[in-house]
């Protein structure tokens, strides 16, 4: 698998760090910048935007992300995805000031091109 294979849009389902009852859904869009590094954009629960940049090696994708919280504070973290296939990413994540004993979880499933034509 190459980094170019990962470019696209994914539906996501996740669990928040430290609280297994707070689940979320959304979309993840992956693109490449001029240096062939990953540029990521998440939309969580149709309202919260997050952005990040990362790199890919040995079917592992690592992205440093950030977002502005409801309290106008900047939150940062890192997500690590195991790329099971180019269509399925299995990840875990942590925020800088999150519970250090717990990790969030996220699964990503590629939105196929046929779906994109009708959205």
């Amino acid at each position: 698998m190459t980094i170019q294979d990962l470019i696209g849009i994914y539906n996501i389902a996740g669990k928040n760090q430290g609280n297994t009852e707070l689940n979320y859904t959304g979309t993840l869009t992956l693109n490449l910048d001029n240096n062939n590094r990953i540029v990521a954009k998440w939309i969580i629960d149709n309202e919260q935007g997050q952005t990040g940049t990362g790199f890919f090696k040995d079917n592992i994708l690592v992205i440093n992300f950030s977002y502005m919280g409801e309290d106008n504070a900047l939150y940062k973290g890192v997500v690590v995805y195991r790329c099971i296939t180019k269509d399925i990413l299995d990840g875990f994540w942590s925020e800088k000031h999150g519970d250090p004993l717990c990790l969030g979880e996220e699964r990503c499933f590629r939105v196929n091109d046929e779906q994109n034509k009708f959205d």
Side-chain angles (χ1 to χ4, degrees), residues 2 15 22 26 43 48 50 53 69 73 80 82 90 117 119:
T2 68
K15 293 182 181 179
L22 289 178
I43 302 294
Q48 182 187 71
Q50 300 182 8
T53 58
V80 177
R82 181 172 36 123
D90 184 33
K117 291 179 184 176
D119 288 343

Side-chain angles (χ1 to χ4, degrees), residues 76-118:
K76 297 179 180 183
V78 64
V79 59
V80 177
Y81 294 109
R82 181 172 36 123
C83 302
I84 298 170
T85 70
K86 67 181 185 67
D87 298 325
I88 302 173
L89 312 178
D90 184 33
F92 60 92
W93 57 269
S94 179
E95 288 184 3
K96 183 176 180 181
H97 298 292
D99 183 346
L101 301 177
C102 300
L103 295 172
E105 299 176 16
E106 193 165 279
R107 281 241 163 157
C108 306
F109 305 92
R110 184 183 299 273
V111 175
N112 70 43
D113 291 334
E114 290 301 313
Q115 281 180 302
N116 289 337
K117 291 179 184 176
F118 300 106

Side-chain angles (χ1 to χ4, degrees), residues 38-49:
I38 288 286
V39 176
K41 181 178 181 182
W42 292 263
I43 302 294
I44 306 296
D45 290 334
N46 291 316
E47 59 186 51
Q48 182 187 71

Side-chain angles (χ1 to χ4, degrees), residues 3-73:
I3 195 168
Q4 290 82 5
D5 292 331
L6 300 177
I7 303 312
I9 300 170
Y10 298 81
N11 287 322
I12 58 173
K15 293 182 181 179
N16 282 313
Q17 187 175 353
N19 189 338
T20 57
E21 293 182 21
L22 289 178
N23 298 328
Y24 62 89
T25 60
T27 59
L28 168 63
T29 303
L30 298 178
N31 287 301
L32 293 177
D33 68 11
N34 292 337
N35 296 313
N36 224 27
R37 291 179 58 100
I38 288 286
V39 176
K41 181 178 181 182
W42 292 263
I43 302 294
I44 306 296
D45 290 334
N46 291 316
E47 59 186 51
Q48 182 187 71
Q50 300 182 8
T51 59
T53 58
F55 49 93
F56 176 75
K57 182 174 171 117
D58 296 332
N59 293 341
I60 301 293
L61 176 61
V62 178
I63 303 172
N64 293 298
F65 67 88
S66 64
Y67 65 95
M68 190 66 66
E70 292 178 1
D71 57 0
N72 288 323

